[in-house]
Amino acid sequence: MVIESVNNERIKEIRKLKEKKHRDKEKKFLVEGEHLALEAYKSGNLETLIICDGYDYDMDVNKIFVTKDVIKSISELETPYNVIGICNIKENDEIGNKVLLLDNIQDPGNLGTIIRSAVAFNVDTIVLNNKSVDLYNSKVLRAAQGNNFYINIIRKDLIEFVSLLKKDGYKIYSTNVNNGNDVKNVKTNEKYAIIMGNEGNGVSADLQDLSDFNIYITMNDKCESLNVAVATSIILYELNK
Amino acid sequence: MVIESVNNERIKEIRKLKEKKHRDKEKKFLVEGEHLALEAYKSGNLETLIICDGYDYDMDVNKIFVTKDVIKSISELETPYNVIGICNIKENDEIGNKVLLLDNIQDPGNLGTIIRSAVAFNVDTIVLNNKSVDLYNSKVLRAAQGNNFYINIIRKDLIEFVSLLKKDGYKIYSTNVNNGNDVKNVKTNEKYAIIMGNEGNGVSADLQDLSDFNIYITMNDKCESLNVAVATSIILYELNK
């Protein structure tokens, strides 16, 4: 059976997943296109495929066939793909030894790019605070290119969480352009967390106060600052050596 | 005198600078907001300020005062700033010893971010090919945050240009995820050029063939590739040490 009506009750429910509050309630989110759907499938996060009539995909999950107009009503893209995946949100309390804390990242492209680099450089868990852009925002997911399925990503109050990490023996690194240690000379402990700040304002003062070390990247002072996704990636690259 | 009409001849001419062909012809481009206008001014590239009636800025250049509607007709932003600068395009044939070649970069945010990192890590000249996104696209300029005024950026046919560089003693580094030298072990010559490729396809085969060395960044193979602005920044960071 092909669902032809954009007002079908099931389709209405799926469309609600475009809003953060429904994603949080249902613990589900959408990904668009075969590449992201396949990454979701391989990582065990894919629940259902919504497929444009006439196409099919070799993934062993629940499938809903719909018309192009129905796909269009769900998609956030101008030119929708022929497939959209419904994925389960999974969060894991096993955070591992290498943790990245993001204090209020606002730009979806930056968050997606950071997720990609965090997987590349072996971060175990990314922790977002509640003011950060939503992880399941479609622009974040596109920029992450499926890497969100290969890393644990959780949401916490960062002040409380850093206190817990410290009690548990993690060393806390914060970034500060004005003072600290050049990242190229930093030797990390076995367990550590890096705090990266907001695009405009950097790491908040409360979190800086809780940090054990400040780190910076040496650069020409004609450049005021690096893009936050670039700065995060360089620090993760250097600490992963 | 305050220009009130969006159909004023001078305003019509200025508005044409939103199109690449007019920017190329007039050798001028627009920047929005005080921060970018000030960077243009400090670097000697600012020709004229277009200012919303009721505001003024302490820069010693030609000024045109206009209404909010006129500013709005020129701006590419939903919420325009109160000032737009007209800047002169300058290209310099003195390219220096550290050159970055960008082979067909498409995303304006990526190009702007790369410009910012290139200034941070002491690149002398960025060379774009003709298929790259236009440098004076407003999204590129916003992501570059004024750093485009602190680095020489030119457009060339890359195949021809690499041949000239080689004759002139530059060593050519290309990026290739499959083979080559880990960037952390690369010792650069005095004069070198790095070629970075397109978001989807990497460096084109013709340019790879002209390269002296391939370099790569070691990473977890769960991640297929880094964002191109991130990869470029890490390579520039490492070679600048």
Side-chain angles (χ1 to χ4, degrees), chain B residues 37-57:
Chain B
L38 198 58
E39 294 291 348
Y41 180 66
K42 287 193 287 182
S43 63
N45 291 60
L46 188 66
E47 183 218 67
T48 299
L49 284 177
I50 306 151
I51 302 173
C52 193
D53 187 28
Y55 294 85
D56 202 359
Y57 297 89

Side-chain angles (χ1 to χ4, degrees), chain A residues 116-169:
Chain A
R116 204 167 157 187
S117 295
V119 171
F121 301 127
N122 298 303
V123 169
D124 296 308
T125 295
I126 296 174
V127 188
L128 305 172
N129 69 346
N130 283 315
K131 286 189 205 153
S132 293
V133 57
D134 189 50
L135 168 60
Y136 304 107
N137 172 310
S138 62
K139 285 182 190 163
V140 174
L141 295 171
R142 279 202 296 285
Q145 297 216 340
N147 285 286
N148 53 294
F149 296 116
Y150 294 101
I151 189 168
N152 186 34
I153 308 177
I154 58 181
R155 257 179 203 275
K156 297 281 178 191
D157 177 284
L158 293 189
I159 300 278
E160 283 172 23
F161 196 71
V162 167
S163 306
L164 290 174
L165 288 174
K166 283 167 77 101
K167 275 186 202 148
D168 202 16

Side-chain angles (χ1 to χ4, degrees), chain A residues 35 39 113 116-117 119-122 147 183-184 218-220 223-227 230 233 237-238 241, chain B residues 35 39 113 116-117 119-122 147 183-184 218-220 223-227 230 233 237-238 241:
Chain A
H35 175 68
E39 294 292 345
T113 300
R116 204 167 157 187
S117 295
V119 171
F121 301 127
N122 298 303
N147 285 286
V183 65
K184 73 169 183 265
T218 298
M219 58 187 189
N220 190 312
C223 176
E224 277 177 36
S225 66
L226 295 165
N227 164 280
V230 165
S233 302
Y237 162 79
E238 192 66 85
K241 274 190 198 167
Chain B
H35 174 68
E39 294 291 348
T113 300
R116 205 168 156 186
S117 295
V119 171
F121 301 127
N122 298 303
N147 285 287
V183 63
K184 72 169 184 267
T218 298
M219 58 189 188
N220 188 313
C223 176
E224 276 178 36
S225 67
L226 295 165
N227 165 280
V230 164
S233 301
Y237 161 79
E238 192 66 84
K241 274 191 196 168

